[in-house]
Structures are given as structure tokens and as C-alpha cells.
Amino acid sequence: MTFPEHGPRTPGSLPRARLLPWTAPGDKPCYLVTDQDGGFLSRYADEVEELQLGMSEGLLEHARVLIDDPAADARQLRFLSVQLSAALRDAVRVAESRGARAADAGAGAGGCVS
């Protein structure tokens, strides 16, 4: 197969769909289809993933403090649970995206990921 802007394709160089760390309206997943590693949008997605994971770590620290506080009320704990749920959703999306990319990389190296 040949694409004019890229020349001939080999099976290992076919475009891949990367799950992005944000969603479209309606909480639908967003994908980037590319055959380039390190393009602008890929780098931006990497930065967003790192930001999401870093914010999740900070939230976990806050959660430890709040949970240990006997004065914490139900409203505070409910708000914390909403934030933890969003952070977990983001972390799962990052894990799915990275796992799929690792599997793609392993498939190009004999099909095994170690």
C-alpha cells in the first residue's frame, strides 16, 4: 500500500490509534491516529498524562489527611470521593493508553512484551 505523503507502507509502519487522556462531549473516548512517535499532539498528550498522574498523587496525599481527620464531615468526604473517582478514571485511561502502546511496540518486536 502507498500513501502519497508517506511513501510505501510496511505492516509494522501502519498508523496506530492512541487513546488520548481526555474525552469528547458525552464522555466519548478520543483517539489520535498517527504513524509518528513524538508528534506535537502526542507530546501534548504525554504532558497531559503526566499532569493527571501528578495531580492524582497530590489528591491521594490530601485524601490521607482528610480521612484521618475526625472533624471531616460528610460533605467534605463526598467531595473527596468525587475527586478521587475522577482521578481514578484518568489513571485508568492513562494505563489503557500506555498498555495499548506497549502491546503495539511488543508486536513489532516478535509479539512479546516483557
Side-chain angles (χ1 to χ4, degrees):
M1 180 181 304
T2 301
F3 294 85
E5 67 277 9
H6 296 291
R9 298 272 178 164
T10 61
S13 69
L14 294 176
R16 300 180 307 270
R18 174 185 177 169
L19 178 63
L20 295 172
W22 53 81
T23 58
D27 205 32
K28 295 181 180 178
C30 291
Y31 294 91
L32 171 64
V33 178
T34 182
D35 60 352
Q36 294 181 355
D37 290 327
F40 173 77
L41 194 53
S42 290
R43 288 191 309 274
Y44 180 69
D46 291 341
E47 291 172 12
V48 170
E49 286 179 354
E50 289 304 315
L51 177 67
Q52 288 173 328
L53 295 176
M55 290 176 64
S56 295
E57 288 176 359
L59 184 59
L60 283 173
E61 288 300 316
H62 176 69
R64 284 186 193 103
V65 171
L66 189 60
I67 290 168
D68 289 341
D69 182 359
D73 63 21
R75 182 183 50 82
Q76 291 171 308
L77 294 171
R78 187 175 305 112
F79 181 76
L80 175 64
S81 68
V82 169
Q83 299 307 309
L84 287 170
S85 177
L88 181 58
R89 182 193 64 236
D90 290 344
V92 167
R93 187 179 302 113
V94 169
E96 288 174 349
S97 178
R98 290 182 179 183
R101 285 181 281 150
D104 285 346
C112 297
V113 178
S114 54

